[in-house]
Amino acid sequence: MPFTHDEIQNLPAVLSAPRFASYLAEKGSDKEKALELYRWNLELSSAFFVPLQICEVSARNSIVSPIEATYGANWPWERGFEISLRNPPTGYSPRRNLMGLRSLPTSGKIVAELNFVFWEKMLTHGHDGAIWNAHFRTVFPNTDNNKTVQALRGEGNDTLFKIRDLRNRIAHHEPIFRRNVQEEYDRIRKIISWTNATAADWIDKIETVTGMIATKP
């Protein structure tokens, strides 16, 4: 649906000049074409929420399983698990993130409230000895048998970092139109497939992300 004259005149101001500048630059200062790109970016961002949601739930459920196997059902309150978490003085701290949620009544509530980055940080080498050497292939059964657990765990960490970056840009309403959409989707699908191939195939059936690639203005 084409934009009306009033929309072309008013929407850029509503979006704000700094936010709209990236779209104008991409479209040679043509307001209407920039608005078409902005609308496509909105629709693409919305489409990504479906696979991102399944990916995040799948990843955290897969990661919490070996944590429970190693530290017990009350792992959020176990001192051994607490001290296994990094606690840098500045920036994100997995330990502080966890400790700030200990007033919640159940581990399930804590799992739901932990930041996505917490699960990413669980896929670091510091947890190999206690968790991943024994449990990685059990919870991620569809990974490459020709790669070591350490290589796969590192790959998972890097992939979750990139997925989280996309997720955060979408959550903060930032442009994603310059990204390789197929690569972004493939990363999300890979993490889901590591745990369950059927779930990954199901996402392929319901996602609308890849169908938007050809419609980019």
Side-chain angles (χ1 to χ4, degrees):
M1 182 181 298
F3 289 93
T4 67
H5 174 77
D6 284 347
E7 288 168 344
I8 294 170
Q9 295 304 310
N10 287 280
L11 287 175
V14 172
L15 299 174
S16 82
R19 181 171 295 279
F20 197 53
S22 297
Y23 301 89
L24 278 173
E26 189 73 10
K27 291 300 179 181
S29 299
D30 186 311
K31 285 186 180 180
E32 184 170 10
K33 290 181 178 179
L35 283 170
E36 289 172 353
L37 182 60
Y38 189 91
R39 179 169 59 193
W40 183 83
N41 193 87
L42 279 176
E43 292 169 351
L44 179 65
S45 298
S46 177
F48 261 118
F49 269 112
V50 171
L52 280 170
Q53 181 184 115
I54 300 302
C55 178
E56 182 168 355
V57 171
S58 172
R60 76 188 188 195
N61 287 344
S62 296
I63 294 169
V64 79
S65 175
I67 296 174
E68 290 177 340
T70 303
Y71 296 98
N74 291 321
W75 58 270
W77 299 275
E78 288 295 327
R79 175 65 176 165
F81 181 61
E82 175 189 321
I83 63 175
S84 78
L85 300 173
R86 293 190 64 203
N87 188 32
T90 59
Y92 175 76
S93 164
R95 190 182 301 179
R96 288 195 298 274
N97 189 187
L98 175 68
M99 293 177 69
L101 297 171
R102 279 176 164 172
S103 61
L104 294 175
T106 65
S107 59
K109 294 284 188 183
I110 291 175
V111 167
E113 293 297 326
L114 282 164
N115 294 347
F116 189 15
V117 65
F118 180 89
W119 308 109
E120 173 196 321
K121 298 299 184 184
M122 286 303 303
L123 289 173
T124 51
H125 67 86
H127 298 289
D128 281 351
I131 295 176
W132 297 121
N133 290 342
H135 297 287
F136 189 91
R137 294 193 190 278
T138 300
V139 297
F140 296 115
N142 301 319
T143 48
D144 189 345
N145 285 325
N146 294 316
K147 294 181 179 180
T148 66
V149 165
Q150 290 72 32
L152 288 166
R153 188 263 309 141
E155 182 181 337
N157 175 258
D158 179 66
T159 303
L160 282 184
F161 171 81
K162 291 173 180 175
I163 291 171
R164 179 170 61 87
D165 180 66
L166 172 69
R167 173 185 180 272
N168 287 350
R169 287 191 68 82
I170 291 172
H172 290 95
H173 318 303
E174 297 293 336
I176 60 170
F177 63 81
R178 293 192 180 102
R179 293 185 173 230
N180 186 314
V181 174
Q182 187 66 57
E183 284 185 3
E184 299 286 359
Y185 176 75
D186 288 346
R187 286 192 193 100
I188 295 168
R189 189 193 188 283
K190 178 174 76 172
I191 292 298
I192 298 169
S193 70
W194 274 15
T195 300
N196 192 289
T198 300
D201 290 342
W202 177 66
I203 285 295
D204 285 341
K205 290 181 181 179
I206 67 171
E207 64 87 14
T208 58
V209 170
T210 56
M212 293 193 62
I213 297 171
T215 68
K216 182 179 179 180

